[in-house]
Amino acid sequence: NSFTGQTFETVENAFCRIVNASNNSEVARYNLSAQGGHTAMIMAKVYRHNNEWKMHAIGETASGRTFHDLMPAIAPHA
C-alpha cells in the first residue's frame, strides 16, 4: 500500500513481486503502475496446509493507506 496516498499510476515502473528464497525464482509479479488509480494491491494469500506452505495469487487492487483501511478488501480472502 501507499501510505502517502499516492496512486500507483503516478509511480514510474511500480511493481511488486514474490520470490522463492530457496532458488531465487520469481513466483508472482504484479505491475502496479498499469492497473489504474489505486493505492494498494492485495497480492496473495500465504498459508500452511498439511504442514506445507501454500500461496494463492489474488492480484486485486484496493484503496487505503494502512492495513486497517484495507481490511474490508482483505477480509473476503481470509
Side-chain angles (χ1 to χ4, degrees):
N1 63 309
S2 168
F3 184 75
T4 65
Q6 180 181 12
T7 63
F8 287 113
E9 68 186 346
T10 63
V11 179
E12 187 176 332
N13 196 30
F15 67 90
C16 198
R17 66 188 194 139
I18 299 171
V19 176
N20 181 339
S22 66
N23 61 11
N24 211 29
S25 66
E26 190 170 82
V27 176
R29 180 184 190 100
Y30 297 98
N31 180 349
L32 300 173
S33 301
Q35 296 186 18
H38 58 283
T39 59
M41 168 70 74
I42 302 168
M43 288 188 13
K45 175 181 176 178
V46 178
Y47 60 98
R48 288 189 59 90
H49 179 73
N50 291 335
N51 245 0
E52 294 182 341
W53 284 104
K54 304 286 184 178
M55 186 201 82
H56 173 78
I58 298 170
E60 184 177 310
T61 60
S63 293
R65 292 180 45 222
T66 67
F67 175 82
H68 294 289
D69 294 344
L70 297 171
M71 279 309 296
I74 293 171
H77 303 288

